[in-house]
Amino acid sequence: MVAERERREPLAVQASVDLPAALHGHHLAEVTRYVVDADYKRDAPQRGLLKAMALTGHLLQVRAFIVTAREKMVRRYKALGLELLLDGQAFPMAHIGGLPHCVMAFDLHDGLQRLRQMQHPISPFIEDEWHPDLRVLEDLLAR
């Protein structure tokens, strides 16, 4: 996963769409490079993505992650707690070669809390399990 944090420049997705006003004023990050084959039946890649977003988000002190997804992947990401933005409409994304993608967000504070309250099976995976293969801090320091 490659995540870009909003610093002085807008996120890449903002070249194609205006994010909802509710996200303005918060520190945001965007997952810019992550590919999952929509026909892959197991959810391990998406679970790993969510855990990596949580770890990275805490380290970078971001409130929410923005993810662009092909329409075939929206249902899977919604099942993990990501929220569909902009009425679920797919937009051509300049930073993804003009391919249409839906825009989704995962609020790290509210989303993780909601997953805990729902006793979602991914919650222990994110918060309690040790995954030495997710080397988020190492990767961030290497940049």
Side-chain angles (χ1 to χ4, degrees):
M1 175 187 95
V2 175
E4 301 297 331
R5 190 176 87 192
E6 177 180 60
R7 290 186 189 138
R8 291 176 189 86
E9 299 294 320
L11 298 172
V13 68
Q14 292 175 287
S16 301
V17 297
D18 291 324
L19 295 175
L23 293 172
H24 297 184
H26 292 289
H27 294 290
L28 304 174
E30 178 183 2
V31 176
T32 56
R33 289 188 206 115
Y34 186 79
V35 178
V36 176
D37 184 340
D39 295 324
Y40 186 70
K41 301 300 181 212
R42 300 190 56 202
D43 67 349
Q46 292 90 353
R47 290 166 48 104
L49 171 66
L50 199 57
K51 174 132 185 160
M53 286 185 339
L55 292 171
T56 303
H58 289 303
L59 289 169
L60 296 177
Q61 297 185 321
V62 299
R63 176 63 189 237
F65 265 94
I66 306 300
V67 175
T68 56
R70 293 173 295 147
E71 290 180 271
K72 290 173 80 173
M73 294 299 294
V74 166
R75 186 175 56 82
R76 285 188 181 190
Y77 288 137
K78 282 179 75 173
L80 294 175
L82 277 77
E83 295 181 55
L84 198 53
L85 304 178
L86 307 172
D87 297 322
Q89 186 177 351
F91 295 90
M93 295 289 151
H95 67 298
I96 313 173
L99 296 173
H101 280 62
C102 296
V103 181
M104 304 185 80
F106 187 78
D107 183 300
L108 287 169
H109 178 266
D110 296 342
L112 291 173
Q113 187 174 5
R114 192 171 41 253
L115 291 173
R116 265 192 308 278
Q117 288 171 345
M118 294 170 38
Q119 297 182 338
H120 193 292
I122 197 170
S123 188
F125 175 84
I126 293 172
E127 299 186 316
D128 301 329
E129 292 180 22
W130 172 249
H131 297 275
D133 52 326
L134 291 176
R135 296 184 312 270
V136 174
L137 184 57
E138 258 178 60
D139 292 345
L140 289 173
L141 292 173
R143 285 195 216 172

